[in-house]
Amino acid sequence: MEVPAGLTGRKEPAAAALPSMSQPIPVQITVVNAQDLKTLKSNVLVTLVRVEYNGAVLGDSSKTDVLPDGTAEYDFSTSFECSPDGPNCLDVLVQKPLLLTVLEVRPKEKKKPEKITPLGQAVVDLLPLLQGVRSLKVFAPLYAVPASPSVSLHPEATAGLEVTVSTKELLLSATQFSSGNLLSITLEAAYSVPEAFTPDAQQNYMACLQIPAAGEKELPLLFKNGILKADGEKEPLPRPKNWPFGPILAPAALNIPDSFIVGGPYEDEDGELTKSEDKEFRLQAESTKRIVWDTEMRCFLDAAAVAVLQTRIAECRYWPVELCRMSVASGGKGKASKLDKRDEDKQIAFHGVAYVNMMHLLCPGVKQIRGAFRVFNYQDSEVFEKTKIQYSIFRDRRSQLSLAKEGVGTSPATKTAPSMAHKEEKDSSAMVVEDYHKRVTSVAVAILREYHELFGKQLPDQGVMDHETMEEQKRQLNYELNTSGKYFAFKEQLKYSVVKIVREKYLKTTAFETKEQLQAFLSELYVYLVDHMHIALNKLLSGEDVSPAPPPNTTRKQLLLFAREAEANKDLKLASLFYTQRIARDQRDIQSWLDYGAFCLLYEDATKALECFQQALCLDPQHIQSLLLCGIVAVKLQRYEEAEIFFEDACCLEPSSIIAWTLSGLFYEMQNSYIQAERNFREAKKLLRAQLEEERRILAAAEGEGKKPSSPSTDPEKIPDGSADKPPEVMKDVTSKEEATAVQEAPEAPAPQPPPCTIFMKTVEFLMKVNAVRFVHKALAHELLSLQGGPTCAYYLALAWTYMLQEDFPRCEKCLCEAVGIDPLNPNVWAQKGHLCYLQKDFDNAKECYERVISFVEDAVDMHFVYLRLGSIYLEEKEYGRAKHIYLLACDNSASCLTWLGVGIACYRLEEMLEAEDALSEANALNNTNAEVWGYLALICLQGGRQLEAEQCYKYTVKLGLQNDALLREIRAAQHRFGFGDPSL
């Protein structure tokens, strides 16, 4: 089985879908002429041409004389319509060619009518119409139709048809085509089949698999009519692939032009049975009884379908391909016979499944997999365990395969009880209705906001609005929505969810045959949608009488800061929410996927981390950082073969990457491949030496010109994604130490020198940013062995970081004590020590450490968390002036909801109400889901006598689930103190 594809070849899997054609697009076909017809049959005189597509006859040309040179001029035109909901959709165009039949017309003989017999057939591939071509001109070879033995056919016919195919507009734009991908699957043969398989006309040998298609559909690819061949010579190589439709009059026309099965050595395949001991078995099996298809099926995957396929492969690498021998029912003309229960049980005489490992298609540069895969008996539990698929295509979703032509009835399994597939479809319809409710609610809130902007808010004490005023406001609102284009925007928001309801709830994907059917369906759909609109609106209006808060206007950079704040506070659920919100802002931002993956690697699960890193790799298959991270997680999941591929690809794509060679060496060392590991370490050290020599040369040149050069690099290696990695907290420059020494007027003490730059510390910098703790330990072990003067401050800081993540506080403290002894003026050492004391609830020592950090001229790397934690300590100790100062420094450094909340609390305690409200408003603008912010706003409103606003703020406080019991008690006490008797407060 061969699966050519390029799942990693696209760098922009945008959310583009196949074009939503408002009107069907006609595909115009013109058969211009036929040439060399006499090579098919020497005495042919009159012919006509018949054009067929997708099983339907599009028309016949007029009868045309054949000229002496074998030419016949037809100039016959016909057409069919391409539409997403019609029988000739884009999925059909990809895999089905145009069929042209030249018919010989014999003159009437006495009382006999004229006789029309097929002479030759040709096919035209329509795939170029999806590749940016609007007009296609081809010379299609005509293949002879076998006739009776009395008619002699020339064996080397050169006849052909000149055909043009055109459309008035592109079926796919260049952007749509480039953002998608073309998937082709070739099924060659099934070998070593059971002895019970016989070449019986009542048996159909079929295989099927299902893949994502355009518009959230699932496209079943069905390989029918496998030919059972007896013992004999194996299939020749190379041999042509066949079109995926049934037998035609000219068998040679089934061959796809310029498309061949070429084979290759067994050991080079991607499937199973590739070992030397399997070779004899395969040679024997391929020359005995077998089922042959040699058929290629293609489908175009839009960007959304590509993303779904990538996700599914990442989640579960195996793709099930079902194989069955199905009994064909015998019956009357055009109808399947009525079957009794015993016959139904024999419908699927054999049901097997092969598990195709598709993971290789996610690897950079891989566009094809080919191999042999074992066939197992189909067992539901085993299929679900390996593929997470809960249904059988042949058994549970037979209606999708259009098997009526095969005379196949419904099996008892589908009649007696609903299958898992039915349950899945039910769950799917429940989800689309829920999505419709959410869309209706969103639009209703947006319209209400527009109303408030036009007319202001109607307060309860203003009385009931009269009917005329209400109608006038309604007219003005409608005018504003229509003229501004917002009405159209709201309608577009609802359209997608309505389409999903039509597909999932009503299972309607084809065109209506009559206008009456269409009108009846629209009436039913309208009633259904209106009913559920009322349900959604009632849910919205029956809740608390609080208008929803507008969404916060935050950037991806701010969301990353919020996520790391939540991590520091051990609120992992909130941190995960901020990471996913960041991805939702721009799903093509690689760094967002990498940051979320690093979070999942540390706090959630490695499988989810791998999904994130693979998604980043899909966005850019040559992104070195993503490749390395995929390798790191593959090691954690014990997928060592995959890990090796990722590390080797990184080294090949960026041979100058010190980090890639070092990580690859660490991996080989874990696999006990010490020679390969040492080779990679040697390459990394050679690159580092060259880098340092270049920096010294630049430094010397700058000094010669009298310029003040920057110090030689201990910066981390630049990862080739267009940006350099920032220095982590453990490798901060030593400028702070020199300046601190100068401030303390101690010239006799020599300025400390920068620690030696090694390949392992460079790699540690990278690994710490992605939470790869195991690899950090491996790299630090090498660093310890490579240093001649003993461990450095940076070494102990990195080791302390790993122990802090593991909450091994005694070891962390020991490392930090060593670091302080080596470099007592390093702000990063004291920041880490402050964090350790803070986590141990030793707030006195934490405060002392943090105060020492902010006294240094040079900042620590993580000053944001130093400010936050020192400010919280000051608030607890009621040093509100100091708390306000520290939180304002934090706002200047990197503002967040928590920094402004700290300012607001400090100002409130200092009775600076205006400043407090301003600060809390800033906090609310950055994150309007923080219950504590709303709680302090309620207190301020109560202090100012603004009861209605206080009630509103308090309702948000309760709705968001405030956990601060002391603040809740304070709000209730303030309500009592200021004499507001509303029981809600």
Side-chain angles (χ1 to χ4, degrees):
M1 179 173 182
E2 181 181 352
V3 188
L7 296 183
T8 61
R10 303 293 178 194
K11 295 186 180 181
E12 298 182 3
L18 290 177
S20 55
M21 297 175 255
S22 56
Q23 298 294 331
I25 297 178
V27 178
Q28 189 78 18
I29 301 123
T30 301
V31 183
V32 181
N33 59 47
Q35 299 176 17
D36 295 333
L37 288 178
K38 303 260 182 197
T39 63
L40 291 175
K41 186 178 180 184
S42 57
N43 61 349
V44 63
L45 298 176
V46 181
T47 61
L48 61 87
V49 65
R50 174 170 295 165
V51 182
E52 299 174 63
Y53 190 69
N54 196 17
V57 176
L58 303 182
D60 292 352
S61 72
S62 58
K63 290 176 281 190
T64 303
D65 293 335
V66 179
L67 301 178
D69 64 354
T71 303
E73 299 290 336
Y74 297 115
D75 289 326
F76 170 66
S77 295
T78 184
S79 66
F80 66 87
E81 290 185 338
C82 176
S83 63
D85 297 326
N88 301 321
C89 60
L90 294 178
D91 292 328
V92 174
L93 255 70
V94 172
Q95 60 181 284
K96 292 193 177 179
L98 196 66
L99 180 62
L100 308 166
T101 307
V102 173
L103 303 166
E104 180 187 8
V105 183
R106 296 182 183 178
K108 298 179 181 179
E109 296 180 5
K110 296 181 180 181
K111 296 183 180 180
K112 294 181 180 179
E114 64 182 7
K115 186 176 181 181
I116 299 177
T117 57
L119 186 65
Q121 287 186 313
V123 294
V124 176
D125 191 355
L126 300 182
L127 179 62
L129 296 180
L130 272 69
Q131 297 173 316
V133 175
R134 285 196 302 179
S135 182
L136 181 66
K137 186 174 182 179
V138 296
F139 182 78
L142 268 172
Y143 298 97
V145 174
S148 61
S150 61
V151 179
S152 61
L153 296 177
H154 293 264
E156 297 181 359
T158 58
L161 290 173
E162 185 180 333
V163 184
T164 61
V165 184
S166 62
T167 59
K168 290 185 178 180
E169 54 185 292
L170 290 174
L171 298 182
L172 279 179
S173 69
T175 302
Q176 289 167 332
F177 183 78
S178 64
S179 66
N181 216 325
L182 185 68
L183 176 71
S184 62
I185 298 177
T186 300
L187 182 62
E188 297 178 17
Y191 297 106
S192 189
V193 298
E195 288 296 326
F197 284 17
T198 57
D200 186 351
Q202 300 301 315
Q203 302 292 325
N204 193 339
Y205 297 100
M206 296 185 286
C208 189
L209 70 160
Q210 191 153 296
I211 61 170
E216 298 189 350
K217 294 188 294 184
E218 292 284 337
L219 179 66
L221 298 183
L222 177 64
F223 296 84
K224 299 187 291 186
N225 304 315
I227 300 172
L228 185 67
K229 292 190 176 182
D231 297 355
E233 293 184 3
K234 62 182 294 185
E235 302 300 312
L237 291 172
R239 62 185 186 272
K241 298 180 182 179
N242 296 327
W243 290 108
F245 54 84
I248 60 176
L249 299 174
L254 276 175
N255 297 343
I256 302 175
D258 302 320
S259 187
F260 297 93
I261 297 169
V262 295
Y266 298 144
E267 56 269 20
D268 293 342
E269 294 179 354
D270 304 294
E272 303 163 1
L273 301 171
T274 58
K275 299 178 181 178
S276 56
E277 56 264 29
D278 300 320
K279 187 172 184 179
E280 183 179 349
F281 164 74
R282 292 190 60 175
L283 286 171
Q284 181 182 0
E286 290 174 12
S287 58
T288 54
K289 185 189 292 185
R290 58 201 180 273
I291 304 169
V292 179
W293 287 273
D294 286 347
T295 299
E296 178 183 89
M297 298 197 76
R298 305 179 302 207
C299 60
F300 179 77
L301 306 178
D302 65 2
V306 169
V308 171
L309 184 59
Q310 290 169 338
T311 302
R312 290 191 188 174
I313 293 175
E315 290 173 349
C316 189
R317 68 180 69 182
Y318 295 108
W319 209 269
V321 179
E322 294 184 45
L323 175 70
C324 86
R325 176 169 67 113
M326 197 168 283
S327 301
V328 179
S330 59
K333 296 181 180 179
K335 294 183 180 180
S337 64
K338 294 183 180 179
L339 304 173
D340 60 24
K341 183 170 177 33
R342 289 176 302 169
D343 291 329
E344 287 180 339
D345 288 335
K346 296 177 182 177
Q347 287 282 304
I348 299 180
F350 172 83
H351 194 186
V353 61
Y355 302 103
V356 179
N357 187 349
M358 303 273 273
M359 183 60 76
H360 298 293
L361 290 180
L362 296 182
C363 297
V366 177
K367 294 186 178 181
Q368 171 178 298
I369 59 175
R370 180 183 184 273
F373 299 88
R374 293 183 178 88
V375 177
F376 302 91
N377 285 329
Y378 191 99
Q379 296 181 1
D380 290 323
S381 58
E382 183 179 320
V383 173
F384 177 73
E385 181 183 354
K386 287 202 170 192
T387 69
K388 300 299 182 283
I389 291 179
Q390 299 177 324
Y391 58 85
S392 161
I393 302 174
F394 283 122
R395 189 190 64 215
D396 301 325
R397 296 196 169 181
R398 191 177 301 174
S399 60
Q400 297 182 18
L401 300 179
S402 301
L403 291 178
K405 295 180 182 178
E406 308 297 332
V408 177
T410 305
S411 67
T414 58
K415 285 186 175 181
T416 55
S419 65
M420 293 297 289
H422 297 155
K423 182 179 184 297
E424 181 178 289
E425 291 168 0
K426 182 179 178 181
D427 293 343
S428 176
S429 64
M431 288 174 63
V432 298
V433 172
E434 183 180 348
D435 180 66
Y436 175 70
H437 286 184
K438 290 179 180 177
R439 301 264 179 176
V440 168
T441 302
S442 174
V443 170
V445 170
I447 293 174
L448 187 61
R449 194 177 299 127
E450 293 293 326
Y451 175 86
H452 288 158
E453 289 180 6
L454 283 174
F455 310 110
K457 293 187 177 181
Q458 182 76 12
L459 297 178
D461 58 354
Q462 292 178 318
V464 180
M465 186 183 299
D466 63 273
H467 180 71
E468 291 183 4
T469 304
M470 191 181 298
E471 286 298 316
E472 177 60 22
Q473 289 187 354
K474 179 181 176 182
R475 187 190 65 77
Q476 290 184 37
L477 179 62
N478 284 335
Y479 176 81
E480 178 64 23
L481 294 178
N482 280 286
T483 54
S484 64
K486 292 175 181 176
Y487 173 80
F488 177 77
F490 293 151
K491 189 171 70 172
E492 286 298 301
Q493 288 183 38
L494 289 172
K495 186 170 78 172
Y496 186 64
S497 60
V498 172
V499 169
K500 289 204 294 186
I501 284 178
V502 172
R503 286 178 175 160
E504 299 289 339
K505 178 71 178 176
Y506 287 92
L507 304 177
K508 189 63 182 171
T509 58
T510 58
F512 293 91
E513 297 179 0
T514 64
K515 290 185 177 179
E516 289 75 17
Q517 289 181 351
L518 173 62
Q519 193 58 48
F521 173 77
L522 291 177
S523 299
E524 181 183 355
L525 178 64
Y526 176 79
V527 172
Y528 181 87
L529 294 175
V530 169
D531 286 345
H532 279 274
M533 178 189 72
H534 289 153
I535 292 172
L537 293 177
N538 287 337
K539 284 182 181 177
L540 174 67
L541 299 175
S542 64
E544 294 177 309
D545 55 340
V546 181
S547 60
N553 184 23
T554 51
T555 64
R556 291 201 306 273
K557 183 179 179 181
Q558 289 173 319
L559 287 172
L560 178 61
L561 178 63
F562 301 166
R564 288 178 174 166
E565 287 178 337
E567 275 188 71
N569 293 330
K570 298 300 180 183
D571 192 343
L572 302 184
K573 185 176 180 181
L574 182 61
S576 181
L577 176 64
F578 283 131
Y579 278 119
T580 53
Q581 284 181 355
R582 188 164 174 250
I583 290 173
R585 294 288 176 90
D586 183 2
Q587 295 194 4
R588 294 190 294 175
D589 180 56
I590 291 177
Q591 194 58 47
S592 296
W593 286 104
L594 297 187
D595 290 336
Y596 187 37
F599 168 79
C600 294
L601 181 62
L602 185 62
Y603 293 109
E604 296 192 357
D605 62 271
T607 303
K608 197 169 185 179
L610 184 59
E611 292 174 11
C612 295
F613 298 148
Q614 287 177 333
Q615 184 62 39
L617 196 59
C618 291
L619 294 171
D620 183 359
Q622 297 186 351
H623 193 255
I624 306 303
Q625 197 173 357
S626 302
L627 280 168
L628 294 176
L629 289 171
C630 286
I632 289 169
V633 183
V635 171
K636 186 176 180 67
L637 294 172
Q638 299 182 355
R639 301 177 183 177
Y640 301 116
E641 293 180 2
E642 295 173 30
E644 183 175 10
I645 292 172
F646 286 125
F647 288 129
E648 288 298 313
D649 283 348
C651 294
C652 292
L653 285 171
E654 190 58 42
S656 62
S657 172
I658 298 172
I659 293 175
W661 285 108
T662 308
L663 273 179
S664 181
L666 292 173
F667 164 74
Y668 281 119
E669 188 178 66
M670 293 177 185
Q671 301 301 301
N672 299 325
S673 300
Y674 298 109
I675 296 175
Q676 184 66 45
E678 187 56 38
R679 185 180 298 133
N680 289 10
F681 291 149
R682 193 182 305 119
E683 181 66 24
K685 290 174 182 177
K686 182 178 73 174
L687 291 169
L688 180 61
R689 282 195 299 271
Q691 178 181 315
L692 294 176
E693 284 297 325
E694 178 65 15
E695 289 176 348
R696 291 191 191 100
R697 187 189 64 78
I698 296 173
L699 181 63
E703 288 176 344
E705 295 175 3
K707 297 179 181 179
K708 183 180 179 181
S710 57
S711 59
S713 172
T714 57
D715 291 346
E717 180 188 17
K718 295 181 186 295
I719 301 296
D721 62 352
S723 64
D725 286 345
K726 297 177 183 177
E729 56 196 54
V730 298
M731 294 293 290
K732 196 64 181 175
D733 210 29
V734 295
T735 310
S736 59
K737 294 180 284 185
E738 296 172 355
E739 291 177 349
T741 304
V743 168
Q744 295 176 11
E745 298 180 355
E748 66 278 0
Q753 296 299 313
C757 182
T758 67
I759 61 171
F760 300 109
M761 288 311 296
K762 276 183 171 289
T763 306
V764 164
E765 296 168 14
F766 168 74
L767 293 170
M768 288 175 64
K769 294 176 184 176
V770 298
N771 299 326
V773 178
R774 181 183 178 188
F775 273 86
V776 169
H777 277 291
K778 295 289 292 184
L780 288 176
H782 275 279
E783 176 70 7
L784 188 61
L785 292 173
S786 66
L787 292 175
Q788 297 179 355
T792 63
C793 179
Y795 168 86
Y796 282 118
L797 270 176
L799 193 57
W801 172 84
T802 65
Y803 291 139
M804 189 175 292
L805 285 183
Q806 297 166 343
E807 296 187 353
D808 189 345
F809 296 144
R811 287 188 178 181
C812 180
E813 185 173 5
K814 185 177 179 181
C815 290
L816 291 175
C817 288
E818 295 287 348
V820 168
I822 295 172
D823 190 358
L825 301 178
N826 190 330
N828 291 305
V829 176
W830 291 104
Q832 284 275 57
K833 192 166 185 182
H835 295 329
L836 175 64
C837 295
Y838 188 90
L839 293 175
Q840 292 177 310
K841 301 189 184 304
D842 182 1
F843 297 121
D844 289 337
N845 282 323
K847 182 174 74 168
E848 183 182 341
C849 292
Y850 290 146
E851 288 175 339
R852 186 186 292 260
V853 172
I854 62 175
S855 70
F856 288 120
V857 176
E858 183 75 14
D859 284 341
V861 171
D862 62 342
M863 287 302 294
H864 182 79
F865 295 101
V866 171
Y867 288 140
L868 277 181
R869 288 175 170 172
L870 180 57
S872 68
I873 293 172
Y874 284 148
L875 285 180
E876 284 295 320
E877 295 181 348
K878 299 184 179 180
E879 298 185 52
Y880 302 124
R882 284 187 170 186
K884 177 183 175 182
H885 172 70
I886 289 296
Y887 279 121
L888 283 173
L889 288 176
C891 291
D892 289 338
N893 183 60
S894 50
S896 71
C897 174
L898 296 185
T899 61
W900 282 114
L901 172 61
V903 175
I905 296 174
C907 291
Y908 177 78
R909 300 305 178 193
L910 293 170
E911 299 185 356
E912 299 170 352
M913 295 303 170
L914 290 177
E915 289 184 55
E917 187 167 2
D918 288 343
L920 292 170
S921 298
E922 291 287 344
N924 217 4
L926 290 170
N927 179 13
N928 60 7
T929 62
N930 188 299
E932 205 162 335
V933 173
W934 289 107
Y936 277 100
L937 282 171
L939 280 176
I940 291 173
C941 292
L942 286 170
Q943 290 273 7
R946 294 139 57 189
Q947 184 183 7
L948 289 175
E949 292 177 63
E951 290 178 9
Q952 189 88 344
C953 293
Y954 179 74
K955 286 176 181 176
Y956 276 125
T957 303
V958 174
K959 189 175 183 179
L960 293 168
L962 178 64
Q963 301 297 315
N964 189 333
D965 293 335
L967 180 57
L968 279 173
R969 289 193 297 271
E970 188 174 1
I971 294 172
R972 294 192 178 100
Q975 179 267 338
H976 179 74
R977 185 167 68 252
F978 293 109
F980 295 129
D982 193 315
S984 65
L985 286 175

